[in-house]
Amino acid sequence: MPSDAFLAMFREHARRNPKAPALTGERETVSYGELAADTARMAAHLRHRTPAPGRHRPLAIPAHKSAATIALLIAALAEERPVLLPSPDLGADTLHALAARTGADHILTRRDSGPPDAEPVTRDPHAHPLPDGVRLLLTTSGSTGLPKVVPLPARGADSFLAWAGNRFGIGPGTRVLNYAPLNFDLCLLDIWTTLSRGGCAVLVDPDRATDGSHLRALIAGHTVHVVQGVPLMYRTLCDAEPDGEPLTGPRHVLFTGDIMPAALLARLPRLFPEAAFANIYGCTETNDSFLHEADLTAPHEDRPLPIGRPLPGVRARLEDPEGRPLTGPGIGELVVRTPFQTPGYLDPDLNAHAFVTRTDEDGTHTYFRSGDLVRRHPDGTLTLVGRNDFQVKVRGTRVNTQEVEQVLLAHPQVREAAVLALPDDAAGHRLTAVVRRAPESGLGTIALRRHCARRLVRAAIPSHVRIVDEPLPRGSTGKIDRAALSTTTAGAATTAGAAGTTTTTRTR
């Protein structure tokens, strides 16, 4: 949620075009006038409930996607209340602990047009003070414990809204699809940029986010102009109606959140014949950092789309594991700073490894270690390899399992792929691939192993391949749930490894 500048722009659109749609979706359409009136009611409610000395403490508002929640968020902005915007799927104990750690005084939940339900929060005595100018607190997953809290300064959000609105031509009447959950940073474009420019955000119901026919109908029925989504969304759209009518409304189609498989990219020009395509790279901590304008009609090399060029004001570098800059071709961790980034996690104890000081042509600044491995090709092009925590040793050779996944996904008959690294006393790790093949393709393990052998070093070729016909399990972010796959795969892989063979499991 951006600053007072956003609020002024939103109110001006409500004054000039009160009947223009601001939010729409499967169930309802809310005009700018209606949204502004609801926002004013919620602001009065917050003033009545909150004593003046506590007005600058955060409010925790679980991110149930609805016009009612969005109105409450805008009202909190008007009342100068920072907002913690956690996932609506958090357990009650975790939600209260997270709210207490940020110093929030209430958890507000609003599911309809009435006042929100309010639960008081006992402030954690170890709560961390908010940095100056912060209006929104996002979260990002940690490996253990509470989610990490990412304070977003209003000034950075305003800078992003200005860039996104101009870059994608968002203005009055522009309809922008909002696929991402409300607590994701992608909503800075989908919802907040749209409302600041007088456009209409088309909200996808989270319960129908994997219904490809519904998504197609929503995009076509609302004449959506800008589509942003993760690879799962585009795969869902393509698989639902492979021979369906093209979607001619979108002018901009944006990929984000993960590597887009080449086979999936090849299906998109027919689905969106009038669109310009762009690959966007960024992290919650920095927001968008790179953009690549993709020509999907041209023949593609057997490598991922480039992450593109830095956005205005962005500085980035590749570093080796010791933090030394990588100047030539090779793979390094992407370290970046942007005009939109957080000053650091709310818990300062988490910052030492993630936020580092670097000197560049503009002086000394704070950079964010993305944890993403990026390959610089001889021509200077940058492509995403995967996370540095997906690197393992197989018989002494360093392998990134996400890079192996991309090789598998490059096979024209592969729809999804996940590569798991299982401990092995002799090899260090043994790679197991779980692959969903295209319907009725008859794809087998021998063909996949030959495909991998032509593209990978020997150590990176999975020793066990499990072929399935059902979609792979995925978590709330749309990424493959590797923990769930490990549970069902480890036993079979161990048996196959002991026998020295590659086995195939087929589900019907």
Side-chain angles (χ1 to χ4, degrees):
M1 181 171 46
S3 73
D4 294 338
F6 163 83
L7 192 61
M9 296 170 74
F10 166 73
R11 286 171 171 165
E12 181 64 12
H13 291 300
R15 184 185 68 81
R16 289 188 176 186
N17 301 295
K19 294 184 179 181
L23 302 168
T24 191
E26 180 185 10
R27 297 187 177 91
E28 62 177 340
T29 296
V30 177
S31 70
Y32 272 88
E34 292 168 333
L35 185 58
D38 194 18
T39 296
R41 287 193 297 272
M42 288 301 97
H45 178 80
L46 293 178
R47 281 196 302 274
H48 177 71
R49 290 189 59 92
T50 307
R55 285 185 61 194
H56 297 285
R57 287 180 61 182
L59 294 168
I61 302 178
H64 298 281
K65 188 188 289 189
S66 67
T69 299
I70 292 170
L72 182 58
L73 291 169
I74 299 174
L77 169 63
E79 291 303 298
E80 300 179 354
R81 297 295 302 267
V83 173
L84 169 68
L85 192 60
S87 167
D89 299 324
L90 287 182
D93 290 349
T94 300
L95 175 59
H96 274 265
L98 185 65
R101 184 57 61 92
T102 65
D105 55 8
H106 285 87
I107 298 171
L108 302 180
T109 303
R110 190 174 187 230
R111 298 182 183 274
D112 54 34
S113 58
D117 296 328
E119 295 181 63
V121 177
T122 301
R123 185 172 185 171
D124 187 328
H126 303 292
H128 303 289
L130 300 188
D132 291 340
V134 167
R135 307 300 282 275
L136 182 63
L137 302 165
L138 299 177
T139 61
T140 186
S141 300
S143 57
T144 59
L146 294 176
K148 293 180 284 190
V149 178
V150 182
L152 183 64
R155 182 173 61 182
D158 285 343
S159 297
F160 178 80
L161 265 59
W163 171 80
N166 292 335
R167 175 61 182 77
F168 301 112
I170 299 173
T174 305
R175 293 176 180 257
V176 180
L177 188 74
N178 167 236
Y179 181 81
L182 191 57
N183 56 303
F184 278 33
D185 58 295
L186 302 184
C187 291
L188 285 173
L189 189 156
D190 298 348
I191 294 177
W192 303 112
T193 299
T194 303
L195 293 179
S196 74
R197 295 297 184 107
C200 177
V202 180
L203 308 181
V204 175
D205 185 338
D207 292 336
R208 304 197 67 180
T210 57
D211 183 341
S213 296
H214 170 68
L215 292 177
R216 277 178 168 266
L218 202 64
I219 294 170
H222 290 281
T223 319
V224 169
H225 303 113
V226 180
V227 176
Q228 176 179 229
V230 296
L232 173 63
M233 184 192 78
Y234 293 106
R235 186 177 302 284
T236 299
L237 283 166
C238 289
D239 288 350
E241 301 174 26
D243 300 318
E245 289 297 317
L247 298 171
T248 57
R251 303 190 302 251
H252 295 281
V253 170
L254 315 178
F255 323 128
T256 191
D258 210 343
I259 300 171
M260 284 285 287
L264 179 57
L265 288 170
R267 304 168 74 185
L268 295 184
R270 182 188 179 281
L271 180 61
F272 300 107
E274 304 299 325
F277 299 96
N279 191 32
I280 299 180
Y281 169 87
C283 308
T284 301
E285 292 85 350
T286 61
N287 213 310
D288 291 341
S289 308
F290 285 78
L291 184 142
H292 171 70
E293 298 176 359
D295 179 5
L296 301 188
T297 62
H300 283 277
E301 300 177 39
D302 189 13
R303 68 186 193 190
L305 279 179
I307 63 173
R309 297 180 178 276
L311 271 57
V314 170
R315 298 291 182 270
R317 49 196 274 158
L318 299 187
E319 295 184 349
D320 68 13
E322 283 72 45
R324 295 173 299 208
L326 178 69
T327 56
I331 297 176
E333 181 181 8
L334 185 65
V335 182
V336 64
R337 70 176 173 95
T338 80
F340 326 123
Q341 74 186 38
T342 178
Y345 298 120
L346 190 62
D347 182 351
D349 292 340
L350 301 174
N351 289 336
H353 177 75
F355 294 88
V356 293
T357 301
R358 297 289 185 263
T359 300
D360 55 31
E361 66 273 17
D362 298 330
T364 301
H365 301 278
T366 298
Y367 277 68
F368 176 66
R369 293 186 60 185
S370 69
D372 286 334
L373 296 177
V374 169
R375 183 189 301 275
R376 180 184 286 124
H377 296 268
D379 62 1
T381 301
L382 300 177
T383 58
L384 185 63
V385 173
R387 297 286 299 170
N388 59 13
D389 47 6
F390 281 86
Q391 286 196 113
V392 296
K393 284 287 188 72
V394 180
R395 301 191 183 281
T397 300
R398 189 177 297 277
V399 175
N400 190 287
T401 57
Q402 289 184 312
E403 194 165 19
V404 181
E405 289 174 1
Q406 293 308 306
V407 169
L408 289 166
L409 288 167
H411 192 288
Q413 295 175 343
V414 170
R415 289 293 178 261
E416 295 181 284
V419 175
L420 309 175
L422 304 179
D424 182 87
D425 291 339
H429 288 88
R430 184 175 61 257
L431 300 187
T432 295
V434 184
V435 173
R436 178 167 75 96
R437 61 187 173 183
E440 302 179 0
S441 69
L443 178 65
T445 59
I446 294 176
L448 276 179
R449 288 180 61 80
R450 288 174 176 168
H451 170 80
C452 290
R454 291 194 296 269
R455 295 163 173 82
L456 296 169
V457 298
R458 184 175 181 181
I461 300 173
S463 59
H464 173 69
V465 178
R466 178 181 166 215
I467 295 180
V468 300
D469 296 313
E470 300 298 324
L472 303 189
R474 292 181 180 269
S476 61
T477 63
K479 295 184 179 180
I480 291 173
D481 187 340
R482 298 171 195 280
L485 276 180
S486 296
T487 301
T488 58
T489 301
T494 300
T495 302
T501 61
T502 298
T503 65
T504 303
T505 301
R506 294 179 174 86
T507 59
R508 296 293 182 188

